[in-house]
Amino acid sequence: MALPTETERAFHAHDHSHCLHEGLARAEELARARGLRLTPVRRRTLEILLREHRALGAYEVLEHLAADGFGRQPPVAYRALDFLVANGFAHRIQRLNAFTACAHPGEDHQAVFLICRECQSVAEAPLDGPRDAVEAASDALGFRLERVSIEALGLCPQCAQAA
Amino acid sequence: MALPTETERAFHAHDHSHCLHEGLARAEELARARGLRLTPVRRRTLEILLREHRALGAYEVLEHLAADGFGRQPPVAYRALDFLVANGFAHRIQRLNAFTACAHPGEDHQAVFLICRECQSVAEAPLDGPRDAVEAASDALGFRLERVSIEALGLCPQCAQAA
DNA sequence: GTTAATATGTTATACTATAACCGTCAAGGA
DNA sequence: TCCTTGACGGTTATAGTATAACATATTAAC
């Protein structure tokens, strides 16, 4: 078997510090290239998300931020998260009212999120077929498509094993 | 051009009372066939959803129910909505924290929801391709897939025209 | 260096959802 | 028939999620 892809790694033990440093480095670079301001709160927020392959609620993120000396009121977290989502550094997981770091920032991709309902871990699998199908359906109905979100609920390999 | 399909109708003017009566009749029948109890609150809740091709928030539904003499506390609406969703008479639209009547109750289908971000109208388009692709991705990762939800955000024909 | 725009922090509040408890009522068995 | 049981629908109270509005500070542009 080949080396695990990034998506496969999400559901298995691996070197988190790699994800973290790699992810932050890519974000810094992208932000510079696009003239975005990756300020301390925003950077720290991304760091918090990267540290886990898991969806974190806004209030959970806020606790971390507050502990690190940033503001302790909801808008602090929501604003940083909104910035990250708007610029493709993170995604919102609708089903969980939660947020997760983007595995492929800057790549303009369509993805499906595989969400474990036991442990909240989230894997982001690139998947372009569905987007095309939805586009075709939209065109047929005169619907002006802007964004598609695909979320799959189930059990990750570990939790499936345990069950 | 052929007669409009049910999905196409969703975004165009049409006889609502048809949707309403047809939808209620199908629900009654299904409930009887499956031994489900479509009680007055539940039936009325479905009626409220059917009356609009639009996602309604739970509190919005609650207002209608209260006006009709049913309970006026949130659990009344949430319980009825949960029943409808659990039994395939309605769907939850994650992105809007809202609910909409199912266009194809009892048919065991996968669908994509086309959500207008202006007027909240929702069309439910049957679409099986994506489900298969997600299944394939899940298998490859050892993820035990249970449910897939696909939501598309954009503008319905009317609102696109207006913009 | 001044100005304008952006960002961060606050307080207060709105919106969404569920827990826990109680009375009612219908269905099935003694 | 009567009793038990379980589902339903109503309540109060509270938990969880998100944003509006405003003040201060920082950054960028001129």
Side-chain angles (χ1 to χ4, degrees):
Chain A
M1 183 170 166
L3 282 175
T5 64
E6 185 152 2
T7 303
E8 287 163 356
R9 243 190 288 125
F11 281 146
H12 296 87
H14 63 280
D15 182 4
H16 271 313
S17 73
H18 170 80
C19 304
L20 185 58
H21 293 121
E22 173 96 4
L24 278 177
R26 269 193 290 180
E28 300 269 17
E29 193 177 336
L30 261 172
R32 204 165 338 138
R34 297 188 190 161
L36 299 171
R37 292 167 60 182
L38 193 59
T39 60
V41 216
R42 292 168 175 176
R43 195 190 135 96
R44 181 73 185 107
T45 301
L46 178 57
E47 209 174 329
I48 289 164
L49 293 180
L50 280 166
R51 197 174 285 283
E52 329 221 8
H53 278 297
R54 197 167 74 81
L56 295 179
Y59 281 73
E60 214 169 343
V61 169
L62 182 57
E63 277 175 35
H64 286 279
L65 289 174
D68 289 351
F70 294 100
R72 49 185 60 257
Q73 303 304 323
V76 172
Y78 280 103
R79 281 196 288 234
L81 290 166
D82 286 349
F83 169 86
L84 295 176
V85 169
N87 293 289
F89 297 123
H91 297 285
R92 179 187 208 108
I93 307 297
Q94 303 283 349
R95 178 172 290 271
L96 302 176
N97 291 321
F99 302 83
T100 188
C102 175
H104 309 278
E107 289 178 29
D108 184 32
H109 56 298
Q110 175 68 37
V112 52
F113 296 99
L114 305 178
I115 307 163
C116 178
R117 63 172 164 76
E118 274 300 310
C119 70
Q120 261 76 57
S121 68
V122 174
E124 179 182 348
L127 196 58
D128 286 324
R131 165 84 196 197
D132 298 339
V134 173
E135 222 152 61
S138 296
D139 287 348
L141 296 170
F143 182 80
R144 188 187 294 170
L145 183 62
E146 293 173 353
R147 311 183 44 171
V148 179
S149 84
I150 306 178
E151 298 182 359
L153 199 71
L155 292 174
C156 74
Q158 282 79 47
C159 293
Q161 189 84 45
Chain B
M1 185 172 165
L3 283 173
T5 65
E6 186 150 6
T7 302
E8 286 162 356
R9 244 189 290 125
F11 282 146
H12 296 87
H14 63 282
D15 181 3
H16 271 312
S17 73
H18 171 81
C19 303
L20 186 58
H21 294 122
E22 173 97 2
L24 279 177
R26 271 192 289 181
E28 300 269 17
E29 192 178 337
L30 261 171
R32 204 164 342 143
R34 297 187 190 161
L36 299 171
R37 293 170 59 184
L38 192 58
T39 60
V41 216
R42 291 169 176 175
R43 194 190 135 95
R44 182 73 185 108
T45 300
L46 179 57
E47 208 175 330
I48 290 164
L49 293 180
L50 280 168
R51 198 173 285 283
E52 330 223 6
H53 279 296
R54 196 167 75 81
L56 294 180
Y59 282 73
E60 214 170 343
V61 169
L62 182 57
E63 277 176 36
H64 287 279
L65 289 175
D68 289 352
F70 294 100
R72 50 184 60 258
Q73 302 305 324
V76 172
Y78 280 104
R79 281 194 290 233
L81 290 166
D82 287 348
F83 169 86
L84 295 176
V85 170
N87 293 290
F89 297 122
H91 297 285
R92 176 186 211 108
I93 306 297
Q94 302 284 348
R95 177 173 291 271
L96 301 176
N97 292 322
F99 302 83
T100 189
C102 176
H104 309 279
E107 291 179 28
D108 185 30
H109 56 296
Q110 175 69 37
V112 52
F113 296 98
L114 305 179
I115 307 163
C116 178
R117 64 172 163 75
E118 274 300 308
C119 69
Q120 263 76 59
S121 68
V122 174
E124 178 183 349
L127 199 57
D128 286 324
R131 165 82 195 201
D132 298 340
V134 173
E135 222 152 59
S138 296
D139 288 349
L141 296 169
F143 182 80
R144 188 186 294 170
L145 182 62
E146 293 172 353
R147 311 184 43 172
V148 179
S149 83
I150 306 178
E151 297 183 358
L153 199 71
L155 292 176
C156 74
Q158 281 78 47
C159 293
Q161 189 84 47

